[in-house]
Amino acid sequence: MQTQTYELNFGPQHPSTHGVLRVVLELDGETVVKATPVIGYLHRGIEKICENRTYVQTIPFTDRLDYLAGMGNNLGISQAIEKLMGVEVPERAEYIRVIMCELSRIASHMICCGSLVQDLGGVTGFVFFIRDREDILELFNRACGARMTFNYIRPGGVAQDLPEGWVAQCRRFLADFKGMMDTYHKLVVGNEIFQLRMKGIAPLSAERAIAMSATGGVLRASGVDYDVRKADPYGIYDRFDFKVPLGSKGDNWDRFMVRMEEMEQSARIIEQALDQLPEGPIMAKVPKAIKPPAGEVYHRIENAKGEIGFYVVSDGTLKPYRWHARRAAMVNLQLMDELCRGFKIGDVVAILGTLDPVLGEVDC
């Protein structure tokens, strides 16, 4: 029997598109023939805006890229500027940066895993993830006065030191975190329906993941042992003992489990950083008006969504001549068509959730 394909718009108003993403699905019955992401609904021209701001003024705009992991964005652009200037960051500031970025990674993965569970009908699981994420946001709020848009990590160090009692509060969170992970595994990972919706769906080979420039959990789920923190250590990450979680099939299940395991490894890094946290200054001697010498730099870090890189060109003035961000979420999203083909409409929601896109970073 001959059938005719038809098009269905998934988004941009659908809650499971994690923002304002539109995916045009070409369907044969309920089977996906083609999936075309349509982006740009949240484009704000951040790169061009940053070319008309001073170097320090660009920091708050990075919070609005991957707004679920803003600390990592702050770190990436700050270290790029420090490379241009040749600034050495104080030891205490380096450790605080690591702690904040790993807390940010856990908080981002909680949203990724929790919203994925909700998209597949497990509302209770989502509530648990969001409840526990509040503890991290409270730590951020005490440290810098903001829950999501921080502007905390600056060129030369961090904006202010940790308040009294903050380290003890962070240790209490880490002590509770083990119980949180046990709850997630019992409630979500062990759920048979959840497993059926995830295992064997949308596998991605290591060769294809590399060919499509995937990074982060999407790449590692395919078995590729690549994490910028290990492959090209930045800051003081080479001082910490942690593992890089890997998958084998690169399917939805592996992409989910890699992020679950990454949260545990991030907690392990934070524990080591708290134990080694030295006293001392939290900001290098950096002029208020930053004017790097003429030159260019590309600096990359491992953020929650994958590798985010900042390319900055200085012409010796107060404002960058060129400012560009390589966003992991945008690069990973190009896999949408390849992963969806041959699967059902219901699988599209799960596939998108395991890619973990944040539209602020996709559209920029």
Side-chain angles (χ1 to χ4, degrees):
M1 180 184 296
Q2 288 188 342
T3 59
Q4 184 176 353
T5 62
Y6 63 100
E7 288 189 350
L8 178 70
N9 278 295
F10 175 54
Q13 78 292 341
H14 195 288
S16 293
T17 57
H18 300 219
V20 284
L21 171 67
R22 174 184 170 212
V23 182
V24 180
L25 299 174
E26 183 181 345
L27 302 170
D28 183 359
E30 289 195 9
T31 303
V32 178
V33 177
K34 187 177 182 181
T36 306
V38 181
I39 63 175
Y41 293 92
L42 197 59
H43 179 60
R44 296 148 294 174
I46 284 179
E47 293 180 340
K48 186 54 65 176
I49 291 173
C50 288
E51 291 169 10
N52 290 278
R53 298 290 188 274
T54 65
Y55 284 89
V56 175
Q57 287 174 342
T58 66
I59 307 296
F61 290 97
T62 63
D63 285 316
R64 277 81 179 167
L65 295 175
D66 179 0
Y67 43 77
L68 298 177
M71 287 290 185
N73 300 333
N74 289 175
L75 177 67
I77 186 60
S78 293
Q79 289 185 331
I81 295 170
E82 289 159 5
K83 273 187 177 180
L84 276 173
M85 298 177 64
V87 171
E88 186 173 339
V89 178
E91 283 283 293
R92 182 173 177 83
E94 289 279 24
Y95 278 92
I96 293 175
R97 285 177 167 191
V98 169
I99 293 167
M100 293 300 181
C101 286
E102 294 308 314
L103 284 172
S104 187
R105 192 184 315 278
I106 295 173
S108 177
H109 284 351
M110 283 180 168
I111 286 288
C112 170
C113 297
S115 58
L116 173 60
V117 173
Q118 177 176 258
D119 291 343
L120 299 184
V123 179
T124 306
F126 175 72
V127 172
F128 274 87
F129 279 106
I130 294 300
R131 179 200 66 180
D132 298 336
R133 176 173 171 265
E134 283 297 308
D135 293 343
I136 298 178
L137 299 190
E138 180 56 29
L139 285 167
F140 289 154
N141 196 27
R142 284 199 62 200
C144 65
R147 288 161 54 88
M148 289 183 68
T149 50
F150 309 108
N151 190 25
Y152 180 66
I153 298 174
R154 311 273 183 88
V158 294
Q160 55 201 36
D161 207 345
L162 301 175
E164 185 178 349
W166 193 95
V167 171
Q169 184 180 350
C170 188
R171 289 190 187 277
R172 286 196 297 272
F173 166 75
L174 292 176
D176 295 339
F177 182 69
K178 296 174 183 177
M180 296 175 190
M181 291 302 297
D182 288 341
T183 301
Y184 305 153
H185 279 276
K186 291 176 183 176
L187 185 66
V188 178
V189 177
N191 186 291
E192 292 182 17
I193 298 174
F194 183 74
Q195 292 183 19
L196 288 170
R197 293 292 304 274
M198 300 287 285
K199 289 185 176 180
I201 304 298
L204 179 67
S205 68
E207 292 75 20
R208 286 302 299 159
I210 294 171
M212 298 295 280
S213 299
T215 57
V218 176
L219 176 67
R220 291 188 287 275
S222 297
V224 181
D225 188 359
Y226 180 81
D227 185 313
V228 180
R229 294 172 296 175
K230 290 277 192 181
D232 186 14
Y234 50 92
I236 56 171
Y237 270 102
D238 54 353
R239 303 180 188 179
F240 302 108
D241 178 30
F242 65 98
K243 295 179 181 178
V244 178
L246 300 175
S248 57
K249 299 178 182 178
D251 59 1
N252 282 352
W253 180 257
D254 280 348
R255 286 189 283 273
F256 174 79
M257 290 304 300
V258 160
R259 292 185 177 98
M260 290 287 287
E261 293 170 24
E262 279 185 1
M263 288 194 283
E264 295 182 4
Q265 294 302 316
S266 289
R268 185 176 167 189
I269 294 172
I270 296 168
E271 285 180 350
Q272 295 173 62
L274 289 174
D275 292 339
Q276 301 172 26
L277 182 64
E279 297 296 329
I282 49 91
M283 178 60 75
K285 292 183 179 179
V286 177
K288 289 185 184 265
I290 293 178
K291 192 186 292 185
E296 62 180 359
V297 65
Y298 178 79
H299 181 71
R300 58 182 182 161
I301 68 162
E302 185 71 35
N303 208 9
K305 306 294 181 290
E307 179 183 315
I308 182 169
F310 290 94
Y311 174 65
V312 182
V313 178
S314 169
D315 58 0
T317 64
L318 292 171
K319 300 176 183 179
Y321 175 78
R322 182 75 176 94
W323 194 102
H324 171 68
R326 187 266 187 207
R327 291 105 58 203
M330 180 178 183
V331 178
N332 291 344
L333 187 61
Q334 68 180 332
L335 287 163
M336 193 68 185
D337 178 42
E338 183 171 335
L339 295 179
C340 288
R341 292 192 181 205
F343 292 97
K344 303 297 182 183
I345 297 176
D347 296 322
V348 173
V349 174
I351 294 168
L352 179 62
T354 60
L355 290 178
D356 192 19
V358 165
L359 272 297
E361 184 172 280
V362 171
D363 288 340
C364 192

